[in-house]
Amino acid sequence: MQTRLARLYQKGDLRVETDSVPSPGPGEVLLKMAAAGICGSDLHYYQDGGFGPVRVREPIIPGHEASGTVERAGEGVELKPGTLVAVNPSQPCGQCEYCGKGLPIHCLAMRFMGSAMRLPHEQGMFREWLVVPARQCVEMGAATTAAEAACSEPLAVCLHAASRAAEISGKRVLITGAGPIGCLMVAAARYHDAAEIIATDLADAALERAEAMGASQTINVSREAAALAEFETGKGYFDLVFECSAAAPAIRSAIAAIKPRGTIVQVGVTGEIPVPLNAIVGKELHIHGTQRFHEEFAAAAELISSRRIDVRPIISHSLPLEEAATAFILAGNRMAACKVQLTF
């Protein structure tokens, strides 16, 4: 059996090719892929050849946020043909020190689909047909679309980031950066009953989506810097910040606008940037990193299936696999696009 797929060879070199597909073994399923979103890390691979120390060193099939329908199940699998599933790209080993401590996110032998962190790279989901362990598949509700199901992974990222904040209910929340993750972070904060959610970005289109996802107020910091500055008076206004841009100016403004002993959850990822340590120390701030997810994936799929979190406002474009290079270029245009998905 053959499948069409998108494979990245190096910066800017994305090719649609054909490869073979194995038959599903015991505990595995063959999926007819339906939709797959282009993530920020996929974009970094395409635009820059990687991010920070993570570089594309050999050909890789990108893609780690996807959905598909069960075509055929291997021995011992209960999933029925035709079932729409969200595919969890995370494969912790279950045996290492951190898995043993209940911290599979920090697995020493983590295999994460579509990631160039390890060598050989872990191949991803931008392909028509895919065989995966059935345990990585979460069944979606009957009314859920494939495009919505493919948003389970990025929503899981945001649910895990929310868990790093400890308490959101009743808090004043600032979200810097209103790309796909920022918008889903707005939805997660709203789901957790934040009292007020203010989102910032440089693009009006992004901020309009943030409003659709539940932001109380939005600020275009490219032309309304003074509107954010008012939150810096009296040592700050916000109890909690989710920093989703990984831009140095946004991080500095977040530190200026948060109250003493407030919490900043750093969601956006980049290389090394300078930060004002004096302000962090002087305000006694709590700074938390966050990466990926574990049990939050199933929770995200359920919230999407029930539409208690409606992800549809962030899905801006869907293009067929054959137009993968065009889709990547479009995804890099934040003035025009939010979540760009490939369809199969």
Side-chain angles (χ1 to χ4, degrees):
M1 183 176 183
Q2 298 289 301
T3 182
R4 299 281 284 168
L5 54 82
R7 182 177 279 126
L8 181 69
Y9 282 79
Q10 59 185 342
K11 172 182 174 180
D13 185 4
L14 184 72
R15 309 176 197 175
V16 177
E17 301 178 335
T18 301
D19 207 342
S20 60
V21 183
S23 297
E28 295 181 330
V29 291
L30 171 66
L31 300 178
K32 174 65 175 72
M33 301 306 286
I38 297 174
C39 176
S41 61
D42 298 322
L43 267 180
H44 280 301
Y45 292 157
Y46 178 78
Q47 295 174 335
D48 308 314
F51 55 93
V54 180
R55 313 308 298 176
V56 174
R57 292 166 284 172
E58 64 180 17
I60 183 172
I61 303 169
H64 56 263
E65 44 183 76
S67 65
T69 56
V70 177
E71 178 74 13
R72 191 162 74 250
E75 181 182 348
V77 175
E78 296 182 358
L79 287 168
K80 304 300 182 186
T83 301
L84 176 66
V85 298
V87 185
N88 186 339
S90 181
Q91 302 177 69
C93 73
Q95 304 296 321
C96 72
E97 173 188 356
Y98 291 101
C99 287
K101 290 179 177 178
L103 295 171
I105 288 174
H106 298 288
C107 173
L108 295 172
M110 172 66 77
R111 297 176 60 195
F112 196 89
M113 299 179 72
S115 171
M117 186 171 293
R118 295 178 57 172
L119 195 65
H121 296 336
E122 292 296 330
Q123 302 302 311
M125 294 190 260
F126 288 164
R127 38 185 153 176
E128 293 175 315
W129 297 93
L130 177 68
V131 172
V132 293
R135 66 178 180 272
Q136 290 179 237
C137 299
V138 178
E139 185 172 349
M140 303 300 294
T144 311
T145 67
E148 290 174 277
C151 293
S152 296
E153 194 275 347
L155 179 58
V157 168
C158 295
L159 294 179
H160 181 67
S163 76
R164 299 289 290 136
E167 183 60 49
I168 298 176
S169 179
K171 303 295 186 182
R172 294 170 172 171
V173 177
L174 172 66
I175 295 174
T176 53
I181 289 294
C183 286
L184 289 173
M185 202 68 247
V186 168
R190 179 60 64 204
Y191 173 74
H192 285 290
D193 296 320
E196 184 177 9
I197 305 168
I198 296 179
T200 66
D201 202 276
L202 302 173
D204 287 336
L207 294 171
E208 288 170 6
R209 293 188 180 96
E211 286 184 350
M213 297 302 285
S216 312
Q217 180 184 345
T218 61
I219 300 172
N220 187 319
V221 291
S222 68
R223 63 169 186 269
E224 304 172 49
L228 187 58
E230 69 181 68
F231 296 107
E232 300 174 8
T233 60
K235 288 197 173 183
Y237 177 83
F238 298 101
D239 305 296
L240 173 62
V241 175
F242 293 100
E243 204 300 296
C244 301
S245 72
I251 295 171
R252 287 195 295 270
S253 66
I255 291 170
I258 195 168
K259 289 180 176 180
R261 297 193 177 181
T263 296
I264 297 176
V265 180
Q266 185 60 45
V267 187
V269 179
T270 186
E272 296 181 7
I273 58 174
V275 294
L277 282 177
N278 59 328
I280 293 172
V281 171
K283 284 190 171 185
E284 299 185 308
L285 298 180
H286 303 277
I287 311 291
H288 294 293
T290 180
Q291 72 152 355
R292 297 179 181 166
F293 47 83
H294 186 61
E295 64 273 10
E296 293 91 356
F297 189 90
E302 195 281 325
L303 288 170
I304 289 172
S305 288
S306 64
R307 291 220 175 109
R308 283 185 286 167
I309 290 184
D310 188 351
V311 298
R312 290 174 293 179
I314 73 165
I315 303 168
S316 61
H317 297 82
S318 297
L319 283 79
L321 175 64
E322 282 67 28
E323 298 179 27
T326 300
F328 267 75
I329 293 170
L330 179 60
N333 183 354
R334 295 193 64 253
M335 299 300 174
C338 187
K339 178 55 68 182
V340 177
Q341 294 182 335
L342 296 177
T343 56
F344 306 92

